[in-house]
């Protein structure tokens, strides 16, 4: 990595207009508002309407991030979209965004799939891409999990929502990323088995059931993994940087469940006020979760210049990742 400091120059996000409340879900499956609130902290989530897709949400979040950064799209060298629910297999959503932004072909645009950790993975890769030459990257997390949700399965359908978040990354005069890491390990407790056109091959005939296209999760197992992943992330970033966790000023972690965020606050020995929480409004928006929370925190004035901000996500794979940065904008 070059000596040049890289940081976030601007953020943006987008959430669909349609709101799905816990009360709405009470009419769909055998659940209650009280159960959902107590076990997850979620009160409502947003769901894509007919005109909204992973690409349209990503584009809106991207435009807002570029506006906030004061950067025109032609300055970008990379566009990375973290998504698990692409609108189609290929071309990449990122190239759709490139085209819609009117950016020329010298740019590299690609998608990556790393569960809910997609944005943090993108941030890790982008820092390494832009640092040597002082370039700019747009990193987006966008997911429409509602399209892969089994709306008859109460153990998953109450948890997820749709949305997008984005950040512009580039050279900074002050602050910037202090440390990052990424990690993964195979664990099939959270998965979606969709096999695009597998029934099409005359050489491998098989019957697909629609059930295979739905997201499935062993909640309690993933809960244990999540709590461990966040603790390990706080410990590891503290070790790499030599900065005690009590000195992290603000924590933005994947908004999967408020109980996971509370467990992280207890472990870090910091008050919950240092943790941004919007899981009650959006549920788990997968790869969009961290950049959507980051953008809301920025726009709410929660981050001050010089703050040490900890970003952490975890998800299907399993994957987990964290970053510590000094806020400079
Ligand atoms: O983004 C990727 C990462 N994902 C996560 O981090 C999610 C991690 N997991 C979780 O957040 C929690 O495990 C859940 C919120 C998914 C579930 O909470 P839990 O406290 O682990 O509940 P449970 O799955 O152990 O279920 C407890 C009970 C069961 O009933 P019995 O067996 O005790 O009679 C479930 O059948 O709650 C029942 N249940 C529900 N009841 C009402 C499960 N889902 C519901 C529901 N409404 N929606």
């Amino acid at each position: 990595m070059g000596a040049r400091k890289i940081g976030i120059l601007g953020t943006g996000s987008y959430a669909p207009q349609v709101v799905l409340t816990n009360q709405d879900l009470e009419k769909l499956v055998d659940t209650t508002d009280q159960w959902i609130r107590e076990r997850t902290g979620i009160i409502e989530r947003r769901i894509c309407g007919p005109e909204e897709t992973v690409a349209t949400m990503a584009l809106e979040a991207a435009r807002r991030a570029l506006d906030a950064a004061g950067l025109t799209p032609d300055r970008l060298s990379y566009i990375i979209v973290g998504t698990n629910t692409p609108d189609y297999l290929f071309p990449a959503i990122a190239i759709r965004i490139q085209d819609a932004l009117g950016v020329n072909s010298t740019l590299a645009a690609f998608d990556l799939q790393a569960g809910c950790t997609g944005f943090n993975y993108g941030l890790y890769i982008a820092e390494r891409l832009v640092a040597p030459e002082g370039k700019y990257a747009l990193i987006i997390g966008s997911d429409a999990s509602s399209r892969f949700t089994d709306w008859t399965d109460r153990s998953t359908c109450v948890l997820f929502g749709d949305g997008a978040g984005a950040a512009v990354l580039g050279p900074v005069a002050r602050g910037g990323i202090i440390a990052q890491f990424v990690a993964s390990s195979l664990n099939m407790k959270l998965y979606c088995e969709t096999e695009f056109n597998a029934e099409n091959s005359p050489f491998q005939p098989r019957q697909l059931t629609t059930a295979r296209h739905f997201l499935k999760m062993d909640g309690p197992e993933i809960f244990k993994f999540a709590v461990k992943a966040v603790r390990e992330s706080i410990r590891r970033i503290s070790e790499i940087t030599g900065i005690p966790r009590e000195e992290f000023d603000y924590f933005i972690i994947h908004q999967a469940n408020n109980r996971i965020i509370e467990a992280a606050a207890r472990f870090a020995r910091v008050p919950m006020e240092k943790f941004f929480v919007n899981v009650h409004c959006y549920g788990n928006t997968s790869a969009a979760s961290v950049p959507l929370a980051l953008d809301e925190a920025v726009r709410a004035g929660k981050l001050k210049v010089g703050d040490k901000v900890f970003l952490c996500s975890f998800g299907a794979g399993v994957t987990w990742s964290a970053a510590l940065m000094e806020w400079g904008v």
Side-chain angles (χ1 to χ4, degrees):
M1 182 99 34
R4 198 180 272 111
K5 285 305 280 183
I6 297 299
I8 288 179
L9 305 170
T11 61
S13 60
Y14 177 83
Q17 295 303 305
V18 175
V19 177
L20 183 70
T21 64
N22 291 350
Q23 285 77 14
D24 295 330
L25 284 163
E26 284 176 350
K27 293 177 204 136
L28 272 184
V29 287
D30 179 17
T31 191
T32 60
D33 172 51
Q34 188 188 357
W35 189 97
I36 303 170
R37 280 181 197 241
E38 284 176 7
R39 301 285 179 131
T40 70
I42 302 167
I43 298 174
E44 59 187 40
R45 67 290 287 142
R46 304 294 184 90
I47 301 294
C48 281
E51 304 300 319
E52 287 164 320
T53 65
V54 169
T56 65
M57 293 192 294
L59 179 61
E60 195 50 45
R63 287 197 167 122
R64 292 175 187 176
L66 285 162
D67 267 2
L71 201 78
T72 50
D74 58 302
R75 306 283 306 281
L76 292 170
S77 293
Y78 304 98
I79 299 178
I80 305 174
V81 176
T83 186
N84 309 288
T85 56
D87 303 317
Y88 36 76
L89 259 185
F90 50 82
I93 300 284
I95 301 177
R96 282 262 162 152
I97 307 303
Q98 169 185 5
D99 182 67
L101 293 175
V103 188
N104 69 49
S105 60
T106 57
L107 172 146
F110 58 94
D111 293 356
L112 69 84
Q113 197 238 79
C116 303
T117 316
F119 178 80
N120 267 84
Y121 264 54
L123 196 65
Y124 180 89
I125 294 163
E127 184 195 2
R128 278 142 187 83
L129 288 174
V130 302
E133 295 173 53
K135 293 183 169 177
Y136 295 94
L138 174 63
I139 307 136
I140 307 168
S142 184
D143 263 314
S145 300
S146 62
R147 294 184 177 152
F148 293 84
T149 295
D150 179 353
W151 291 101
T152 64
D153 174 9
R154 69 175 183 176
S155 72
T156 53
C157 76
V158 303
L159 303 174
F160 294 90
D162 303 337
V168 175
L169 201 73
V172 287
R174 63 181 171 197
I177 295 170
I178 302 167
Q180 301 198 71
F181 80 85
V182 285
S184 58
S185 163
L186 184 65
N187 175 331
M188 293 298 288
K189 301 287 184 187
L190 172 52
Y191 63 97
C192 181
E193 281 186 314
T194 297
E195 290 179 83
F196 292 96
N197 283 357
E199 76 279 22
N200 185 50
S201 167
F203 309 105
Q204 300 171 344
R206 56 185 133 171
Q207 288 288 315
L208 285 189
T209 66
T210 49
R212 297 182 76 162
H213 300 283
F214 294 138
L215 174 165
K216 294 185 195 66
M217 177 167 70
D218 179 337
E221 280 302 312
I222 293 294
F223 188 92
K224 278 187 248 164
F225 150 71
V227 171
K228 211 168 129 208
V230 177
R231 286 181 174 189
E232 134 99 359
S233 298
I234 294 172
R235 190 183 297 119
R236 190 155 161 192
I237 288 286
S238 183
E239 260 168 34
I240 299 170
T241 59
I243 301 170
R245 53 188 187 248
E246 295 85 351
E247 289 181 20
F248 299 177
D249 295 295
Y250 209 68
F251 295 74
I252 296 173
I253 71 173
H254 176 36
Q255 306 285 306
N257 187 323
N258 200 44
R259 284 155 54 211
I260 297 170
I261 303 173
E262 284 169 352
R266 281 195 299 277
F267 174 73
R269 291 191 292 271
V270 298
M272 267 299 278
E273 293 76 66
K274 282 192 172 193
F275 281 75
F276 188 77
V277 180
N278 65 4
V279 68
H280 53 291
C281 306
Y282 302 111
N284 179 344
T285 56
S286 196
S289 172
V290 163
L292 176 57
L294 174 64
D295 183 50
E296 291 207 334
V298 170
R299 287 173 199 269
K302 300 275 182 193
L303 309 185
K304 298 183 289 302
V305 171
D307 273 357
K308 290 186 185 60
V309 182
F310 176 80
L311 301 185
C312 172
S313 29
F314 50 86
V318 285
T319 55
W320 65 106
S321 173
L324 186 70
M325 61 189 70
E326 186 181 319
W327 201 249
V329 288

